[in-house]
Amino acid sequence: MSNSRNHQAGGQRTRQRQPGLPVPVFALFLTLGLLLSACQRAPVTPEATPVPPTPTRRPRTPTPVLPLVSSPKDLEGYWHATQNLGFYFHFLPDGTYKGDFYIDEVDESPDISGEYWVEDSQLHMKITWASEDFGNGCVGILGIYQVQMQEDGNLNYMYVQDNCAGRRRGIVGLHEARP
């Protein structure tokens, strides 16, 4: 029996080719198609850019402006310079002052005495007398300070101008009121 697709030649059967692409070319296109589809990227979707949170601003608490000494009356009384040398001062209503390292000697045998006045919210001090132990290198030298009145009733002395290094070291800083 003979078939239109197969014929016998020498006892072998041969297969006829069908029209279309040869198998190796077809396999090549199939492989390329699979590779291309595997290499395709997923569609790019724009991602939302994260926005950092806006910090919540707290309203600033204004720093209280502490008043400056504006009158000699603000200084009257006994004061202890708690920083630096720990000197005691007694400011008198007549515009004079006395100073010593010991509170019990500040009135009877002070190391220094002088005059003071307040002008344009600045304290002006001048030593008029100093003991031998203290030294007289600052007698007659004017010192100028701003004195800030603290909420707790103490005073804070701030340097403005003074060529007397000893007084400057002894007076700058906090002064506590003494009874």
Side-chain angles (χ1 to χ4, degrees):
M1 284 201 178
S2 99
N3 188 338
S4 65
R5 286 190 222 169
N6 296 329
H7 72 276
Q8 288 186 335
Q12 288 186 343
R13 289 174 95 189
T14 61
R15 190 173 163 171
Q16 264 189 348
R17 291 193 121 180
Q18 291 189 351
L21 291 174
V23 174
V25 174
F26 177 74
L28 176 67
F29 281 124
L30 180 64
T31 304
L32 282 175
L34 290 172
L35 285 174
L36 286 176
S37 67
C39 291
Q40 279 185 347
R41 291 186 202 168
V44 177
T45 57
E47 292 183 26
T49 304
V51 177
T54 304
T56 306
R57 292 185 183 228
R58 287 186 252 161
R60 284 188 172 175
T61 305
T63 305
V65 177
L66 298 173
L68 297 174
V69 164
S70 60
S71 162
K73 280 200 164 298
D74 296 331
L75 295 168
E76 288 177 13
Y78 293 89
W79 299 92
H80 179 221
T82 59
Q83 299 171 335
N84 304 317
L85 302 177
F87 211 70
Y88 290 90
F89 291 93
H90 184 193
F91 288 91
L92 301 160
D94 65 358
T96 62
Y97 71 92
K98 300 174 184 181
D100 199 279
F101 287 103
Y102 303 99
I103 186 81
D104 56 343
E105 295 181 11
V106 76
D107 283 323
E108 299 305 318
S109 60
D111 282 329
I112 60 169
S113 61
E115 55 189 31
Y116 75 97
W117 65 96
V118 176
E119 188 177 302
D120 297 325
S121 297
Q122 293 181 335
L123 170 64
H124 294 71
M125 300 177 75
K126 188 182 289 184
I127 297 173
T128 56
W129 177 85
S131 69
E132 284 184 32
D133 293 336
F134 193 79
N136 62 3
C138 290
V139 172
I141 297 175
L142 178 66
I144 303 173
Y145 297 86
Q146 281 194 321
V147 183
Q148 196 174 46
M149 299 186 323
Q150 305 294 294
E151 291 176 346
D152 60 3
N154 295 323
L155 301 175
N156 185 32
Y157 283 66
M158 298 170 288
Y159 168 81
V160 174
Q161 173 188 334
D162 196 344
N163 290 328
C164 175
R167 178 176 48 211
R168 194 170 53 240
R169 273 193 315 271
I171 203 165
V172 169
L174 190 66
H175 290 234
E176 292 179 344
R178 293 294 173 175

